Amino acid sequence: MGGPLMVVRPEHDRAVLARLLGRDPVLHAYQLGDLDDFFWPYTSWFRRGEQVALLYRGVDPPTLLAFAAPADTPALAALLADLAPALPARLYAHLSPGLSDVLAGSFRLDSGGAHHRMAWTDPARLSAVRPEGVVLGAADLPALRRLYERAYPGNWFDPRMLDTGQYLGVREGGELVAVAGVHVWSPVYRVAALGNVTTHPRWRGRGLGAAVVAALCVRLRETVEHVTLNVKADNRAAVRLYERVGFTRVADYEEWTLTAR
């Protein structure tokens, strides 16, 4: 006789998900943050044994998040293989290396590039940076949109995140010229993920990016234990900036656009 049949099933118990994802809170920081009430209504969770995948429907197209340590990759691949027929016809995906192969039979895969997951592990490096930044709020939204249009077109920005109080900006001559914010901030699950970090092209090379990221990290550490971020592997300038303020590379993953065959 074989072992018990293991099937994919929806998971609606946040405590169960928190336990499973909390085994590696840095790798699963985004998913842990999505357990918060702020994101929870837009999430669909799938579980097969100890493995979890998230389909986040708060963006268009929906985004699939599936991360595993190398030893757990085969088990998570089995989950994705069973889940593939139930996925939307078009979606975006963040996947640990090797997981895209199991979806290739059902979807055309267009690469969004290799990425690093980084974590803030060396706060002592802030001694070489002067943190700078003021808290941005709803009144700053027009200026923030202008900065993103000029310096970071096509970025994913949810204006609701300004309500967290975890967006910091630097102004020069009354103009917003640098910003660092979050995609996830969860004091409940003790994780944060930086996002929407940019500096106006005219002001690059002056250390403002490092200064505002440093200020945000210090602020986040008041409420969370793990500060993480995602960055494209070939964006060497950004990687160097994050390393300068104490981030280290802890995992790799790949981004893909998936279109049903």
Side-chain angles (χ1 to χ4, degrees):
M1 296 287 290
L5 179 64
M6 195 170 295
V7 297
V8 174
R9 64 182 181 87
E11 180 58 70
H12 306 292
D13 189 326
R14 275 192 261 199
V16 170
L17 292 166
R19 175 181 64 80
L20 294 172
L21 299 169
R23 294 176 301 174
D24 191 337
V26 171
L27 184 62
H28 299 301
Y30 281 75
Q31 290 142 300
L32 283 166
D34 287 342
L35 296 175
D36 273 347
D37 290 344
F38 191 87
F39 295 111
W40 179 257
Y42 306 101
T43 61
S44 297
W45 300 86
F46 304 93
R47 177 186 171 197
R48 189 178 192 268
E50 300 290 287
Q51 302 305 312
V52 174
L54 164 63
L55 184 64
Y56 181 70
R57 300 180 181 273
V59 292
D60 184 23
T63 299
L64 176 68
L65 280 73
F67 301 115
D72 294 326
T73 298
L76 186 53
L79 183 160
L80 293 181
D82 290 344
L83 181 60
L87 291 173
R90 189 170 188 274
L91 68 157
Y92 203 67
H94 296 190
L95 306 172
S96 288
L99 292 176
S100 61
D101 295 345
V102 303
L103 298 171
S106 302
F107 294 90
R108 187 187 77 228
L109 276 66
D110 296 302
S111 176
H115 287 66
H116 300 321
R117 171 68 50 82
M118 303 185 78
W120 196 41
T121 60
D122 190 5
R125 299 202 70 178
L126 291 189
S127 61
V129 180
R130 182 172 64 88
E132 180 180 357
V134 297
V135 177
L136 304 179
D140 299 296
L141 182 58
L144 188 55
R145 288 194 186 279
R146 287 195 298 271
L147 177 59
Y148 285 144
E149 288 171 4
R150 180 68 178 86
Y152 198 177
N155 70 313
W156 181 78
F157 168 61
D158 184 342
R160 298 184 305 154
M161 296 305 292
L162 281 174
D163 296 337
T164 65
Q166 307 301 324
Y167 270 70
L168 301 186
V170 176
R171 293 186 177 90
E172 295 288 347
E175 179 186 9
L176 186 64
V177 298
V179 64
V182 291
H183 285 156
V184 163
W185 173 64
S186 176
V188 173
Y189 298 102
R190 306 292 293 171
V191 295
L194 270 62
N196 301 120
V197 177
T198 196
T199 301
H200 193 287
R202 291 202 313 268
W203 292 89
R204 289 174 183 166
R206 308 187 191 193
L208 295 181
V212 73
V213 167
L216 180 57
C217 287
V218 171
R219 181 178 179 83
L220 289 169
R221 266 294 174 85
E222 297 175 359
T223 56
V224 307
E225 183 177 355
H226 303 286
V227 180
T228 70
L229 60 86
N230 293 336
V231 61
K232 288 196 73 172
D234 62 2
N235 189 347
R236 293 305 307 163
V239 171
R240 285 194 298 270
L241 182 155
Y242 296 131
E243 290 174 340
R244 180 183 173 195
V245 299
F247 282 84
T248 56
R249 173 180 165 188
V250 294
D252 296 328
Y253 77 96
E254 300 163 341
E255 295 193 5
W256 301 90
T257 298
L258 278 60
T259 307
R261 294 191 181 278

